[in-house]
Amino acid sequence: MRNDKPNLIVDLTLAFSVKIIEFTELLESKGKRVIANQLLKSGTSIGANTYEAQNSESKRDFIHKFKIAAKEADETMYWLKLCEMTPSYPFDETIKTDLVSISKIISKIISSSKDP
């Protein structure tokens, strides 16, 4: 990955992945292992795909990786909503807010990268 200039989406998704790791550790400590595992995989995959997109082989590959990141963001939102709706589960509104912001940026990247 090129390191010569800041990259907003990479920085945001890395920070988001750290929050997801910390939140899933909390879930696991409360015995919520199944949801924790699903959330850990989808939540960190957003950043992995945006990071990987930085070295895409083509514009098409770049868009494809961001589309995968968008799908992973949708799945992550699903698991977060389950936590939010289930009284016996912990929930952190800031994670959901961060995810909404990241999803909007990813959508904008996808739409602005497509050929007119």
Side-chain angles (χ1 to χ4, degrees):
M1 186 175 102
R2 294 180 55 202
N3 290 322
D4 56 346
K5 59 183 177 179
N7 187 317
L8 175 66
I9 193 62
V10 169
D11 293 344
L12 287 173
T13 57
L14 275 170
F16 182 78
S17 291
V18 171
K19 283 186 177 183
I20 287 292
I21 291 167
E22 292 170 347
F23 183 65
T24 57
E25 287 174 348
L26 174 63
L27 286 170
E28 286 182 3
S29 74
K30 298 192 177 292
K32 314 300 186 189
R33 288 176 181 80
V34 174
I35 300 296
N37 189 42
Q38 294 291 338
L39 188 56
L40 179 64
K41 288 192 281 185
S42 65
T44 57
S45 182
I46 301 164
N49 280 287
T50 59
Y51 198 87
E52 188 178 346
Q54 305 312 303
N55 284 319
S56 298
E57 297 174 10
S58 65
K59 182 186 250 186
R60 184 175 177 202
D61 185 38
F62 179 84
I63 293 169
H64 176 70
K65 296 219 182 328
F66 270 99
K67 284 184 176 181
I68 293 170
K71 286 182 174 187
E72 295 293 342
D74 287 345
E75 181 180 342
T76 301
M77 184 60 77
Y78 174 79
W79 299 120
L80 288 173
K81 284 184 178 184
L82 282 180
C83 290
E84 181 179 24
M85 296 171 69
T86 306
S88 62
Y89 275 67
F91 177 68
D92 183 341
E93 185 68 39
T94 63
I95 295 174
K96 186 177 168 186
T97 301
D98 291 348
L99 181 57
V100 169
S101 297
I102 288 168
S103 293
K104 287 178 182 178
I105 294 168
I106 289 172
S107 292
K108 184 67 175 169
I109 290 169
I110 292 168
S111 65
S112 65
S113 296
K114 292 182 178 177
D115 291 326

